[in-house]
Amino acid sequence: MIRAILAISLMFCGYAQAESLKDSVPNVAVVGEASEDVAPDRATLRFGVVTERPTAAAAAADNAAAIKAILDDLKTMGVADEDMQTQQLSLAPVTTEDRDAKGKVKTTTAYRASNMLAIRVKPVEKASDIVGRVLDKGANSLEGVDYDNSALDEKRDELRAKAVKDAERRARIYAEAAGLRLARVIEIRPSEGYSPVARSFDAPIAMAAAPAPGGTSVPLRPGVQHVSERVSVIWALAR
């Protein structure tokens, strides 16, 4: 508890000192930026099986059999157990009403079972083949695909360092133009909204015009991820 209080006190003291320096010495505040397009090296596929049958037991059993066949086939393609996750499971009645020629309403109740999976695929080039295979094995619902890069954290760290260098370059331009030079750094503050998440381009699943011999062809385009970092830095100025 004492350590926590000490840490908080030091943090506020450092903040107060930085604020005091900003008020007491000439300074320049600039924003540095760095960005890069990164090619994804893995994909997450989201798909599943929806089964409708007259009874709940039949819907559940047939759906489970179809999902098991898909999971077994994914293992033969090199997808590990830890890269397969059930994300949604449901079983519910579905009621429909029809009218006969005399206008009499006939109500029919069936049961719909749904099992949705998320599969992580690496390398990303395997994603097209895997989507085709799961469709051939009985998947009838495609929810989408997400792309990612396994080294994204390291890339962000590189961009953070480049953003600071960019801020220094800009600050030096301003300082030298005013006949001054950069002194100590007063404050470094990452800008919210830039560092946590990389912006990836949409990658919808598109069915091919004609299936390839022996299976369904599903062309996928991973595109790139646009990763950016931004930081605000305040330098003291000196003559």
Side-chain angles (χ1 to χ4, degrees), residues 113-134:
S114 175
N115 192 326
M116 296 296 164
L117 303 172
I119 307 298
R120 187 167 55 194
V121 179
K122 187 176 180 180
V124 70
E125 291 78 15
K126 292 174 60 177
S128 294
D129 291 339
I130 288 180
V131 173
R133 286 281 287 270
V134 299

Side-chain angles (χ1 to χ4, degrees), residues 7 11 20 28 32-33 44 47 69 104 121 174 178 207:
M11 179 183 69
S20 176
V28 59
E33 297 176 305
T44 300
F47 59 88
K104 184 178 180 179
V121 179
Y174 295 132
M207 297 300 297

Side-chain angles (χ1 to χ4, degrees), residues 11 37 57 60 75 79 81 95 123 136-137 146 160 162 182 206:
M11 179 183 69
D37 287 339
K75 290 181 181 180
V79 181
D81 285 338
T95 302
D136 291 338
K137 285 294 180 179
D146 295 321
R160 289 179 182 118
K162 290 180 179 179
L182 298 182

Side-chain angles (χ1 to χ4, degrees), residues 68-83:
K68 184 179 185 305
I70 290 172
L71 294 175
D72 289 344
D73 193 53
L74 287 171
K75 290 181 181 180
T76 68
M77 297 187 72
V79 181
D81 285 338
E82 58 266 26
D83 290 330

